Amino acid sequence: TLDIIAGPKNPETHVEVLHSPSAVTTDSNHRVFVADPGAHAVHVFDFIHSKYALLEKGGGRPVTPISLAVDGQDNLYVIDRSSRTVNIYDSAGKFSGYLGKLSGGESYFESPAGITIDRTTGHIYVSDTLRHMVIIADNRGRLISKIGKRGGGDKPGEFRLPGQVVVNGGELFVVDAGNARIQILDTEGR
């Protein structure tokens, strides 16, 4: 009787195109992952096997995926801006846990924006825009240290609204958006 009064249920909307992609990464299997907050999805393109899929999180997609990273075991790390956490997926795409979720469901991060992984050490670097710092964790999610503090200008290690982060060759590159610069630090934060 509900169908007669309200009409049939709208079919579930499917995401088949990119809406507003914000980040891209690859794994050792040559799959391409695209964070798409506008579609509330992470697109997975497997060109070798001619497959396309959406990454699912225990029955649902990440709400607002904005940044991605892959570790040496092809685990995918997805920053979800809505939950302020990093969702972790194994190499098969199965959700395996969170980084930054405290007991009681609260998030350790205030506004995570960028993530990168040092494949030689396994250390995970997450920029937290509103805390004006980069947080370093080990591959189990335990806090190692924090880099930076709020700063308005030209001093090393002072950030204003840091965004994307990248590790390459023992150096950490941080987009220091509020100071209109890119800071290059060693992986210890110097």
Side-chain angles (χ1 to χ4, degrees), residues 171-187:
E171 294 179 315
L172 175 67
F173 298 81
V174 181
V175 174
D176 188 7
N179 289 321
R181 63 183 177 172
I182 296 176
Q183 289 200 52
I184 304 169
L185 309 163
D186 68 16
T187 53

Side-chain angles (χ1 to χ4, degrees), residues 30-108:
H30 307 289
R31 293 180 297 181
V32 177
F33 302 91
V34 179
D36 190 349
H40 304 289
V42 173
H43 304 273
V44 183
F45 298 94
D46 185 345
F47 295 110
I48 291 177
H49 298 102
S50 299
K51 292 183 180 180
Y52 166 79
L54 294 174
L55 192 64
E56 299 289 335
K57 176 185 137 190
R61 294 189 296 266
V63 178
T64 315
I66 59 169
S67 190
L68 307 168
V70 173
D71 68 13
Q73 290 76 42
D74 286 336
N75 295 308
L76 178 67
Y77 295 73
V78 180
I79 290 181
D80 186 346
R81 181 174 42 211
S82 297
S83 66
R84 301 177 312 166
T85 60
V86 178
N87 299 336
I88 306 169
Y89 300 85
D90 66 16
S91 61
K94 182 181 174 194
F95 177 75
S96 62
Y98 295 99
L99 178 69
K101 200 163 205 168
L102 302 172
S103 59
E106 289 295 312
S107 176
Y108 177 79

